[in-house]
Amino acid sequence: MIDAAFLITGFVTLFVVIDPIGLTPMFIALTQGNSPQERRRIAIHTCLTAFAILVVFALFGEAVLGFIGISMPAFRVAGGILLFLTALEMLFERRSKRREGQAQEEELPDPSIFPLAIPLTAGPGSIATVILLAGQQPGFLGTLTIIGIVAAVLVLVLSFYLASGILERALGKTGINVATRLLGMLLAALAVQFVLDGLRDFGFAG
């Protein structure tokens, strides 16, 4: 029997780590210029991809990274570097300029896999959380419970993403532009924090 306290703690922990409330403005910034249909597709694709990634780590944990010789600190550093490149695009409008330079028949860059699914939704923090939860509840029932927690949190994430259009209309074009740059700075800081956490685990940073 799974303890109700574990269900509540696991859900709240994963929800806070993924932080769908904080990710929603990021989702708006990264899908700016996409149609509502494209934005819905990106939201669904993001959550399904994140679910698959987190389920794999719930099932196999650190063995997945260990099998290919990647440590969690290295994963944090790599994710931080990639995230920093995305932050630069947001800060200097490179993403918008790239969109304007593309022919209309060409497909716009799809952010659903990177950076939305990984590392923003299924990032080092959420992967580490799932691995920790799996260690606390071993066995078939425990794994099913953790997968259920992941699914419940990602349903809420999807709900926030699908409601992003309402927030975008409330902010307006100017508000979105300001938010994009502000979020770019915050994302850059988050990326640096990922790198520092990874280096600290390696013993290179205090």
Side-chain angles (χ1 to χ4, degrees):
M1 178 69 72
I2 300 298
D3 188 5
F6 174 79
L7 289 173
I8 297 171
T9 301
F11 177 86
V12 171
T13 301
L14 191 59
F15 182 87
V16 170
V17 168
I18 293 179
D19 187 17
I21 298 173
L23 282 182
T24 301
M26 200 78 70
F27 176 84
I28 293 173
L30 290 169
T31 58
Q32 191 175 1
N34 289 99
S35 68
Q37 293 77 16
E38 290 172 331
R39 182 169 282 179
R40 188 180 307 112
R41 178 190 61 78
I42 290 171
I44 294 172
H45 195 194
T46 295
C47 291
L48 287 177
T49 302
F51 178 76
I53 292 169
L54 293 178
V55 166
V56 166
F57 281 96
L59 292 172
F60 304 109
E62 292 184 358
V64 175
L65 294 179
F67 178 75
I68 54 179
I70 299 175
S71 65
M72 186 61 72
F75 187 79
R76 287 194 180 95
V77 172
I81 293 171
L82 292 173
L83 213 56
F84 188 79
L85 295 176
T86 300
L88 289 180
E89 287 195 340
M90 294 172 66
L91 281 169
F92 296 106
E93 282 193 309
R94 291 177 185 172
R95 187 178 181 86
S96 299
K97 291 176 181 176
R98 187 170 65 243
R99 287 177 185 274
E100 292 170 2
Q102 290 175 316
Q104 288 207 345
E105 64 272 11
E106 290 182 357
E107 188 175 343
L108 292 174
D110 185 351
S112 59
I113 301 297
F114 174 82
L116 284 173
I118 183 168
L120 287 179
T121 306
S126 54
I127 288 174
T129 300
V130 166
I131 293 174
L132 178 62
L133 292 175
Q136 291 177 347
Q137 292 290 336
F140 180 73
L141 182 58
T143 301
L144 280 182
T145 302
I146 294 163
I147 292 174
I149 291 173
V150 170
V153 171
L154 289 178
V155 165
L156 283 178
V157 173
L158 179 60
S159 300
F160 276 97
Y161 286 170
L162 292 178
S164 62
I166 300 173
L167 179 60
E168 184 178 28
R169 285 192 294 273
L171 290 175
K173 185 175 181 179
T174 301
I176 289 296
N177 287 336
V178 172
T180 298
R181 283 163 180 74
L182 177 60
L183 289 168
M185 292 185 64
L186 295 176
L187 187 58
L190 177 63
V192 172
Q193 188 63 55
F194 276 173
V195 173
L196 288 176
D197 288 344
L199 292 177
R200 186 180 299 111
D201 290 339
F202 277 123
F204 292 126

